Amino acid sequence: MDDNSQPNRPKIAVFSGPTATIQNSEPLVTSNKAREKFGLPLRTHADGSPMRFDVLRPQRLAAPVTVYVEQFSAHPLERDFAELYAQPDGFLDSAGVFHKQRMSPGDKPVYEITLRPEDGLFPLPYMARQVNGQAWEMDGTEKNSPAEFCRVPFFADGFRLFEEIDRLGISDEGVGCLLTAKADFDFYRALPSGGYATGRSSHERTDIGEGDIAPETRGVDFFPYRPGYLRKEPPMAALARVTNTVQRALASGKYLGAIWLEGSPFVEETTYWLNLLIDATVPIVGNSSQRPHGAIGNDGDRNIVDSVDYITSNIWADENGRDCVGAVAILDEQIFTARDVQKADARPGGYVATGGHGGIIGRMGHPGLPQFSFKPVKRHTYNSLVNLTQLPREVQGSSVQGSKVGMIAVAIKDVDGNLLPTAIPKVTIVKHARYLPEDTAGNAEDEVDILARIEKNLRDAPLAGFVAEGSAPFGAMSNSVDAALKRATFSGMPVVKVGRGNAAGFVDPKRDPLAIAGSNLTATKARLLLMACLMKFGCMPPAVDPAKPTSAESEAAKTKLAQYQEVFDTH
């Protein structure tokens, strides 16, 4: 999309994330035009009659073609104002022959158009069939086909998505080029939903990368969710890849802003992570979609257009030209802070602000310019205390050493300042509910799952912690869970307490001096912030006997927790 970029035009970086409905197209189903041509059964209505229309899919012409378009066919009331229109290009007679002049009263007035490959995509019937000659009915060759017999419906990067929006999207004024009229774009495959099963040569690539791409593997190089039984989720270490890709791009100084594309259930998490980790002064916008690209009522295309409008509006800039609000999610014409947005329902408009104290800080104009109603006060991006620049090269982690818990060095960044995949901490969520079979005396041994996780962390994850999702809003847990989590704290693993659900109240730090108060964060957002803090501060100081800490060990723990608490109070 940047082939025609100009030096003075704004440029935006577009990052493709995993399981992204916003970069997903509906199944490519063989048209009835192809079925009729090859003698295949037609797709029919429920009553058995052939479908009235073929679905048209954006495709490229291989050669120029001349078409004749009937005059006054763009709108049923055009003819009422025929006197306002210029004459047609000519007329088609009953045999379909074009004439510049009307030859008989029955001739049809037409426009003569030469369509060329360079004109871009055109909606056309989908003519492809399977290798065995059968029609395509779904993503795979048949129901429940293995991965090697399933096409990937997700785009490998944002290029094709932006091209289709630019080519086929229509503004309120009836014009197109809704994206490239405002900015140029570079595309990054940060953690994409679609991949190249057979690889790609360098000259075929549409993203910002260089060189050939080797054949890619589902669940390793890209992360789709369709067909559902082949869904692949990115691993924890992938956060390093995301962080490094976005940081390098925005550190280049080439971009006015960035757009992050991801699946609607999880865009809230990655956008908040970028808000915490990326040291950049330009805006970062998260986009998702509740319906696939090309589907009726698709919301994702509009979210992208709105994000470009937001970035180019500069309403986010302070007096020094720096982003003053941090990463946001723009969804359904609303501007959410990354900290407070959450998906609540699988429908357009199904996003809510969590925490009960704002979160929707503005709206896209429609009509008018984008505007804020207020601005958040939390730290973000370039002034975040846990952004990539602020992270040390190395911290201390906790690990089993013989029969005791000790501390070991954990590398966070390499010599070039890139975040290491092995540095991403292991933070798990413990959820509390009433009427559990707990020991009211507070016996930690009853919480076998927590104790097993502590043991595994000490073996495998020197940077680890827990988020305790307790009562709303105070984060209170059962006696036995508290006892088990206290053991985690003195094994080197910090614990954050938050209220369950979208608690509007704030967790009070005084309620549990041996835990971090998670403010009004949701458990999933508190988890991300704790992961960032672990890479900043390292583990808690482990006790000689985590089940029986001394008063000196308790005081050391409280001192360390104060560092964490400062970040949770301000981010």
Side-chain angles (χ1 to χ4, degrees), residues 259-323:
I259 296 173
W260 175 265
L261 306 175
E262 191 173 352
S264 55
F266 304 109
V267 68
E268 63 199 54
E269 295 184 39
T270 310
T271 306
Y272 185 51
W273 178 264
L274 299 177
N275 185 66
L276 296 172
L277 269 290
I278 301 303
D279 186 1
T281 59
V282 298
I284 299 171
V285 183
N287 280 163
S288 61
S289 182
Q290 303 278 20
R291 294 169 180 164
H293 173 68
I296 186 171
N298 162 48
D299 50 310
D301 292 1
R302 180 55 188 258
N303 291 338
I304 290 171
V305 172
D306 282 346
S307 294
V308 173
D309 287 342
Y310 172 80
I311 292 171
T312 56
S313 74
N314 285 325
I315 66 166
W316 45 266
D318 64 14
E319 62 276 10
N320 297 311
R322 302 177 304 179
D323 179 23

Side-chain angles (χ1 to χ4, degrees), residues 24 45 105 107 163 165 168 207-208 255 294 299 328 355 378 390 424 447 467 475 488 506 516 528 548:
N24 188 19
H45 296 293
D107 288 354
E163 182 183 24
I165 294 172
L168 304 175
D207 66 304
I208 199 67
Y255 301 111
D299 50 310
V328 299
K378 298 295 186 182
Q390 297 291 327
I424 305 298
E447 303 300 331
V467 174
F506 296 84
I516 303 159
L528 294 168
K548 297 177 181 179

Side-chain angles (χ1 to χ4, degrees), residues 169-439:
I170 304 173
S171 74
D172 299 338
E173 294 79 27
V175 298
C177 295
L178 305 184
L179 300 175
T180 54
K182 303 161 188 168
D184 296 321
F185 304 91
D186 283 340
F187 301 98
Y188 292 83
R189 303 182 68 227
L191 202 66
S193 306
Y196 301 109
T198 58
R200 278 296 184 276
S201 62
S202 57
H203 73 274
E204 294 177 299
R205 294 183 65 173
T206 54
D207 66 304
I208 199 67
E210 298 178 356
D212 296 345
I213 296 179
E216 295 184 320
T217 302
R218 187 189 302 251
V220 176
D221 304 297
F222 62 97
F223 303 90
Y225 67 74
R226 212 177 79 206
Y229 59 90
L230 295 176
R231 181 188 183 98
K232 297 294 181 182
E233 288 287 333
M236 184 175 70
L239 273 176
R241 174 177 166 185
V242 168
T243 306
N244 295 331
T245 301
V246 177
Q247 183 64 62
R248 279 196 298 268
L250 298 190
S252 70
K254 295 192 300 182
Y255 301 111
L256 181 63
I259 296 173
W260 175 265
L261 306 175
E262 191 173 352
S264 55
F266 304 109
V267 68
E268 63 199 54
E269 295 184 39
T270 310
T271 306
Y272 185 51
W273 178 264
L274 299 177
N275 185 66
L276 296 172
L277 269 290
I278 301 303
D279 186 1
T281 59
V282 298
I284 299 171
V285 183
N287 280 163
S288 61
S289 182
Q290 303 278 20
R291 294 169 180 164
H293 173 68
I296 186 171
N298 162 48
D299 50 310
D301 292 1
R302 180 55 188 258
N303 291 338
I304 290 171
V305 172
D306 282 346
S307 294
V308 173
D309 287 342
Y310 172 80
I311 292 171
T312 56
S313 74
N314 285 325
I315 66 166
W316 45 266
D318 64 14
E319 62 276 10
N320 297 311
R322 302 177 304 179
D323 179 23
C324 63
V325 297
V328 299
I330 294 182
L331 305 161
D332 304 314
E333 300 183 34
Q334 294 179 306
I335 307 170
F336 295 83
T337 62
R339 183 183 187 275
D340 302 305
V341 66
Q342 186 179 57
K343 179 178 177 178
D345 195 5
R347 59 176 176 81
Y351 304 93
V352 298
T354 62
H357 297 276
I360 302 175
I361 61 171
R363 67 184 298 274
M364 301 308 297
H366 193 60
L369 299 173
Q371 55 185 286
F372 290 130
S373 52
F374 64 90
K375 295 179 181 178
V377 297
K378 298 295 186 182
R379 286 179 174 269
H380 59 83
T381 53
Y382 60 90
N383 66 14
S384 167
L385 297 177
V386 290
N387 69 31
L388 188 58
T389 303
Q390 297 291 327
L391 296 184
R393 285 278 303 277
E394 181 181 283
V395 296
Q396 294 295 303
S398 58
S399 177
V400 169
Q401 299 176 6
S403 60
K404 295 184 178 181
V405 179
M407 299 178 76
I408 62 171
V410 179
I412 301 299
K413 298 190 291 190
D414 64 19
V415 293
D416 296 319
N418 296 309
L419 187 60
L420 294 168
T422 51
I424 305 298
K426 178 74 172 182
V427 176
T428 48
I429 298 173
V430 178
K431 190 173 178 71
H432 171 63
R434 182 155 283 177
Y435 309 117
L436 295 175
E438 63 139 351
D439 176 4

